[in-house]
Amino acid sequence: MSDLPPPPPPPSSTPQPTTAVPSSAVPTQPDPATPPQTRPPPPTSERVRIAMGAPAAPNEVLSVQNISKWFGDVVAVSDVSFSLGPGVTSLLGPNGAGKSTTLRMIAGLASPSQGAVRVFGENPRKNTAVRGRIGIVPQQESLFQEQRALDFVTLAGQLNGLDNPAGKARAMLELVELDPDDTRSIATYSKGMRQRVKLAQALVHDPELLLLDEPLTGLDPRQRIQMTELIRSLGAGGVCVVVSSHVLEEVERLGSRVMVIAQGRLAASGDFHEIRALMDDRPHRIRVRTNNPRALGAVLLTGSGITSLHVVDHETVVVDTEDADTFRRTIAGVAKQANVSLHGVQPLDDDLESVFKYLVGR
Amino acid sequence: MSTVIAMSKRIIPAIATRGRIIAMLLVGVVGIAVGMFIRRAEADFEPEELLLQFLSQFGFVIFVPLVSLVISTAALGTLIEDKTLVYFWLRPIGRWKIALAALLAGLFVLLPLVLVPMLGLSLVAGSSSTTGALVGALVGVVAYTSVFTMLGLFTQRALAWGLGYILVWEGIIASFSETTGRLSIRNYSTGAMQHLVDLDVQLVENPASMATILIVVASIAAVCFAVTTVRLNTMTVE
């Protein structure tokens, strides 16, 4: 537990302005919530074999320049650029948006079809030393099934050249709330336990860049809270943490800056709250069920904020509005004014997919 | 070297599955059983030469390449298939160490799996063939392991491609002429045995000298090792 960095500072009251990002833009994102801090250096023995590459700019850990990745005719990532320093950054996007591909290119596991990735100023695919500064939790569940968790994490430490890999592995397993003395093989572990083993192996060598691909998948609510706190702490301690997620609430809890990726493009970036507002401010489509849609529609059109209205059948009207919150607050009163019964109000485009499509189309 | 051994230790359980070991041992047992049958059936007609021919044909055309194929293609192929290669690949170590670890793991499993049945078969054939059979098997195992470990990195259908190579190239094309024979591994493993058998038996036409055999096998191993390392450097890892 002594490896835990101090808890994160409270979120800044002056978040960065949020922008929908043209695909060719290069947003540099200092962490608004966690000013850059210097991590205590790891023991010299652990780092002695790692030649440090000169970073391109102060505090810049990661630089992604106009990367694209395509598989045959399918474009997975299209002209994405950003640079990151210490702190937590979330890649938010629906499944298949290109998050994992982006993470894999950052780690060097795949090469971009176009563009360049630099980690600490170096190409992670070609520079052996840089790989020792990266930790990754891949999305796939696969682990060395027949091993004990302690052996698996110890191996990771050994391959990273640690002096006492077993000791460090024990500490990391305790950090993720697993029993280092568990004699069972990983094959018997639940999905959540495997997820924590993966995190332990990613942390065992004190990486300065930590890439987490859907790290909260499979965890129970208590474990999610614990893992979220751990990720926040690492970011506050100076680690550049990049987390991919398709769950908005997860990203919110991480209190991080956010990059929205949809259809392979960087659609927006900035502080979470600004992204949230951007999503909420878009036009919304709402289905209202009533005993008299025409009467309700007539009254709705006399008010403001309704951009279009369509009576679908004898009990349904679909409304487009730019102010969904106001609509939800006032619809009951409007129904009363129109002297109709209200049977249901249902948003039709509140799923993340619709949100991301909107952001991409802006 | 400790990192190489550590990785080898992880690869060995992945390739030495119970099913593979039992299946390969069964092939060896079948060979020994056939050898014993030949010895009994031909007891009155100088069985040594016939048994040596059988040992050479079964051992170096079927058994050694087949077992090497099944085990060696799994050394890196399994890591790719179950997506655990990333846990080796994303470490600050040279890729050649991963290639070496896979090669060593394959040899560690294969040597007893091949040499013990070959020893049994040579004892059935006659003790004069024992050294030749073991050295020939060793030559074959090293060469085939290098080739098939590399193959496992290039395709998920390594078993099918390898089987095609064994049957078509080593089994058919290599026997067309002396020239094509020189391009087959079986020629060198059989040649090594030929040099060390006491009896005046022709197992292969004009076998290369023992020094040439060792140089060729070392060259095959070195080239395959280099190609495997380059491939590990340039491949996309899932």
Side-chain angles (χ1 to χ4, degrees):
Chain A
M1 293 297 180
S2 60
D3 293 297
L4 258 178
S12 165
S13 58
T14 54
Q16 265 198 314
T18 303
T19 51
V21 182
S23 58
S24 58
V26 185
T28 300
Q29 304 175 355
D31 187 354
T34 55
Q37 298 176 24
T38 305
R39 284 184 91 201
T44 308
S45 55
E46 291 179 13
R47 293 281 177 216
V48 72
R49 299 188 309 108
I50 298 171
M52 305 285 280
N59 287 329
E60 183 179 277
V61 173
L62 166 65
S63 168
V64 170
Q65 297 154 10
N66 305 102
I67 58 166
S68 298
K69 182 73 179 178
W70 50 81
F71 304 96
D73 292 338
V74 179
V75 178
V77 175
S78 176
D79 201 21
V80 169
S81 298
F82 58 86
S83 57
L84 299 175
V88 180
T89 302
S90 296
L91 288 182
L92 178 66
N95 290 325
K99 304 186 299 294
S100 293
T101 305
T102 302
L103 282 185
R104 289 176 56 240
M105 286 191 281
I106 293 170
L109 296 169
S111 56
S113 305
Q114 191 175 285
V117 173
R118 292 287 177 270
V119 176
F120 302 107
E122 302 287 342
N123 182 344
R125 271 183 79 77
K126 295 187 174 170
N127 189 304
T128 304
V130 160
R131 291 201 296 271
R133 303 168 75 180
I134 301 173
I136 187 168
V137 172
Q139 193 171 22
Q140 65 261 22
E141 277 189 55
S142 312
L143 297 162
F144 295 122
Q145 303 289 352
E146 77 289 345
Q147 280 195 300
R148 296 186 310 147
L150 180 62
D151 295 333
F152 179 69
V153 181
T154 301
L155 174 66
Q158 197 175 352
L159 296 180
N160 276 290
L162 303 188
D163 279 345
N164 180 16
K168 195 66 193 295
R170 296 186 79 85
M172 288 302 104
L173 285 169
E174 285 168 358
L175 185 66
V176 297
E177 295 190 337
L178 285 173
D179 178 10
D181 296 315
D182 192 344
T183 55
R184 292 177 298 163
S185 70
I186 294 173
T188 66
Y189 278 17
S190 68
K191 190 171 184 178
M193 293 170 82
R194 288 172 193 226
Q195 201 69 2
R196 284 179 281 158
V197 173
K198 285 196 290 185
L199 185 62
Q201 66 80 31
L203 291 174
V204 73
H205 56 296
D206 296 324
E208 293 157 85
L209 170 61
L210 185 60
L211 306 171
L212 309 174
D213 199 351
E214 307 274 0
L216 305 182
T217 304
L219 301 182
D220 64 35
R222 195 190 62 81
Q223 290 165 354
R224 279 171 183 255
I225 292 169
Q226 193 263 346
M227 190 77 86
T228 301
E229 284 305 310
L230 176 60
I231 293 168
R232 288 168 61 108
S233 300
L234 288 164
V239 179
C240 176
V241 186
V242 185
V243 187
S244 85
S245 176
H246 63 277
V247 182
L248 199 58
E249 287 69 27
E250 281 181 7
V251 172
E252 183 172 17
R253 288 191 202 103
L254 287 168
S256 61
R257 61 199 162 204
V258 179
M259 291 190 293
V260 179
I261 291 192
Q263 297 172 3
R265 291 172 51 203
L266 188 56
S269 69
D271 173 74
F272 169 80
H273 301 287
E274 299 293 324
I275 293 283
R276 178 87 236 194
L278 190 66
M279 291 173 171
D280 288 343
D281 287 348
R282 73 199 161 94
H284 286 258
R285 176 162 290 183
I286 298 169
R287 179 168 59 200
V288 181
R289 292 182 62 241
T290 172
N291 63 332
N292 191 342
R294 289 184 185 280
L296 179 63
V299 177
L300 279 170
L301 284 174
T302 61
S304 61
I306 305 297
T307 54
S308 72
L309 187 149
H310 175 56
V311 176
V312 178
D313 55 33
H314 65 280
E315 60 175 10
T316 309
V317 59
V318 172
V319 176
D320 287 339
T321 174
E322 288 178 341
D323 190 350
D325 280 346
T326 302
F327 181 85
R328 287 189 197 100
R329 279 200 310 273
T330 58
I331 183 64
V334 171
K336 189 174 180 182
Q337 184 186 339
N339 198 27
V340 300
S341 300
L342 207 55
H343 297 159
V345 178
Q346 182 187 13
L348 293 178
D349 55 2
D350 248 9
D351 59 301
L352 274 181
E353 193 75 37
S354 304
V355 174
F356 294 134
K357 275 181 185 166
Y358 164 72
L359 288 174
V360 170
R362 275 166 61 96
Chain B
M1 197 61 188
S2 64
T3 54
V4 173
I5 293 170
M7 285 188 284
S8 286
K9 283 182 178 173
R10 295 286 63 81
I11 296 172
I12 287 168
I15 59 178
T17 60
R18 188 182 300 174
R20 283 198 191 107
I21 297 295
I22 291 174
M24 294 303 102
L25 283 176
L26 275 178
V27 176
V29 168
V30 166
I32 293 172
V34 172
M36 292 174 75
F37 177 78
I38 293 173
R39 173 165 282 282
R40 287 193 173 205
E42 302 289 333
D44 301 330
F45 307 98
E46 295 184 6
E48 282 81 3
E49 187 172 336
L50 184 59
L51 278 165
L52 280 179
Q53 293 288 357
F54 173 73
L55 173 58
S56 158
Q57 290 295 311
F58 172 80
F60 299 130
V61 179
I62 299 172
F63 182 64
V64 173
L66 182 66
V67 177
S68 302
L69 171 69
V70 171
I71 298 297
S72 300
T73 50
L76 288 171
T78 303
L79 299 182
I80 293 171
E81 197 175 320
D82 67 14
K83 298 180 179 178
T84 50
L85 180 62
V86 63
Y87 297 114
F88 291 159
W89 201 91
L90 199 64
R91 305 295 179 201
I93 54 173
R95 308 282 192 236
W96 65 269
K97 290 186 176 181
I98 302 175
L100 184 59
L103 203 60
L104 291 179
L107 289 174
F108 183 84
V109 176
L110 275 169
L111 287 176
L113 202 56
V114 165
L115 293 185
V116 171
M118 286 297 281
L119 175 66
L121 196 53
S122 69
L123 291 176
V124 171
S127 59
S128 64
S129 65
T130 299
T131 306
L134 293 182
V135 172
L138 194 59
V139 165
V141 164
V142 171
Y144 284 123
T145 299
S146 306
V147 172
F148 294 141
T149 301
M150 177 187 71
L151 185 63
L153 199 54
F154 277 87
T155 171
Q156 291 192 336
R157 295 177 178 169
L159 265 181
W161 280 102
L163 206 56
Y165 164 76
I166 291 169
L167 294 174
V168 176
W169 187 266
E170 296 274 334
I172 300 171
I173 296 176
S175 58
F176 281 171
S177 69
E178 193 178 320
T179 308
T180 54
R182 294 277 182 193
L183 296 173
S184 73
I185 291 170
R186 107 187 210 202
N187 185 285
Y188 296 97
S189 48
T190 311
M193 181 177 170
Q194 172 87 64
H195 285 299
L196 297 168
V197 169
D198 288 341
L199 297 173
D200 186 20
V201 179
Q202 181 82 2
L203 298 174
V204 59
E205 282 186 32
N206 299 323
S209 70
M210 204 62 181
T212 304
I213 290 171
L214 294 178
I215 289 170
V216 168
V217 169
S219 302
I220 291 172
V223 168
C224 291
F225 179 72
V227 173
T228 305
T229 301
V230 170
R231 173 69 175 167
L232 279 167
N233 264 320
T234 55
M235 70 187 293
T236 293
V237 179
E238 294 296 327

